[in-house]
Amino acid sequence: MHILVSNDDGYLAPGLRALAEAMRPFGEITVVAPEQNCSGASNSLTLTRPLSVRRAENGYLFVNGTPTDCVHIALTGLLERRPDLVVSGINDGQNMGDDTIYSGTVAAAMEGYLFGVPAIAFSVVQKGLEHLDSAALVCAAIVERMRAGALPRPFLLNVNIPDLPYSQLRGLACTRLGKRHPSEPVVQGLSPRGDTIYWVGAAGEAADASPGTDFHATANGQVSITPLQIDLTHTEQLEAVSEWLGQGRL
Ligand code: MN
């Protein structure tokens, strides 16, 4: 198996190294990751300048662009052989509920999925990655299971792992995305030169953390696995909008 590994915390992040090492027993590993931390980059592509790819001493390739840039150029010209799987992470912090819209970790995996390659995004719920070894074991266990079992392909899985010792994790749970309250207010201040500046506030607390959600599973010590799709069409509103447009005359 050829596995493309990326992330959004940057090519020096400990979570990336842990994930790459966890994937190594499965075959050939190629790491293509952003040069800088791009958390919150979502699915952005860099279109206003060319991108450079450089090789770090450990063999990782790094790109002066976004997570999506990394996977995009890997799949459209950089790699000689198409990967069988794209994995992203292990992110330092959760990507649950509405986080998935903003997440660069999820976006890197999503780019693989958009090109028809099965993809998995891995995040640890609590910041700090205290039990990174444990999370890496979970990543390997999930890829092992994927190799053994029949999942419809391609798939895009969003995995959130509680930051616990492996023996304290309470299994794998298939979940739906929960929902968050709106973000905390923007933090306002003054720059050293007297300009008003704004720093985007923290994500909101969970609003829907009911049973079945990613929030609920991880709060109970389970590894949350949510299958994602990309189609944003609001299918239930198609009829109402169509009626509202009537004949559609301008
Ligand atoms: Mn991140």
Side-chain angles (χ1 to χ4, degrees):
M1 190 156 55
H2 178 203
I3 304 179
L4 173 62
V5 185
S6 193
N7 77 344
D8 77 351
D9 291 339
Y11 78 105
L12 295 173
L16 178 72
R17 195 170 346 113
L19 181 57
E21 288 310 312
M23 295 299 107
R24 212 172 280 285
F26 294 101
E28 185 191 343
I29 303 300
T30 306
V31 177
V32 185
E35 183 172 17
Q36 307 279 340
N37 187 333
C38 296
S39 297
S42 189
N43 302 86
S44 52
L45 274 176
T46 302
L47 302 176
T48 52
R49 59 177 173 83
L51 297 164
S52 307
V53 180
R54 283 183 288 164
R55 186 179 295 275
E57 256 177 36
N58 63 2
Y60 293 2
L61 300 174
F62 62 97
V63 179
N64 57 345
T66 66
T68 299
D69 288 333
C70 292
V71 176
H72 190 92
I73 65 176
L75 297 180
T76 56
L78 178 63
L79 298 188
E80 280 173 18
R81 204 160 64 76
R82 184 180 164 91
D84 304 296
L85 176 69
V86 174
V87 293
S88 175
I90 300 169
N91 191 59
D92 184 6
Q94 59 190 255
N95 280 303
M96 302 199 287
D98 314 320
D99 304 337
T100 48
I101 300 290
Y102 300 97
S103 167
T105 305
V106 174
M110 198 180 283
E111 192 67 7
Y113 177 74
L114 283 169
F115 278 90
V117 183
I120 313 177
F122 294 104
S123 305
V124 166
V125 175
Q126 291 80 7
K127 271 196 152 312
L129 301 175
E130 192 183 336
H131 301 287
L132 185 55
D133 292 355
S134 161
L137 285 174
V138 171
C139 299
I142 288 170
V143 171
E144 180 59 48
R145 187 175 289 248
M146 179 216 88
R147 207 165 53 157
L151 254 186
R153 285 170 194 247
F155 53 79
L156 173 57
L157 302 180
N158 184 41
V159 178
N160 282 277
I161 307 165
D163 196 14
L164 293 170
Y166 198 71
S167 59
Q168 288 178 31
L169 288 168
R170 295 173 58 195
L172 310 170
C174 179
T175 58
R176 61 183 167 85
L177 297 179
K179 292 228 179 325
R180 285 191 188 279
H181 287 291
S183 296
E184 299 294 321
V186 71
V187 176
Q188 203 170 321
L190 272 186
S191 83
R193 281 160 292 284
D195 299 313
T196 304
I197 53 171
Y198 300 89
W199 202 326
V200 170
E205 291 297 314
D208 174 12
S210 53
T213 63
D214 43 8
F215 290 111
H216 189 269
T218 54
N220 287 290
Q222 293 176 299
V223 176
S224 162
I225 304 183
T226 310
L228 300 181
Q229 62 177 356
I230 315 281
D231 186 349
L232 296 177
T233 309
H234 195 328
T235 307
E236 287 120 59
Q237 272 190 2
L238 280 174
E239 201 179 319
V241 172
S242 179
E243 256 175 53
W244 170 66
L245 293 177
Q247 301 290 322
R249 272 196 294 270
L250 282 170

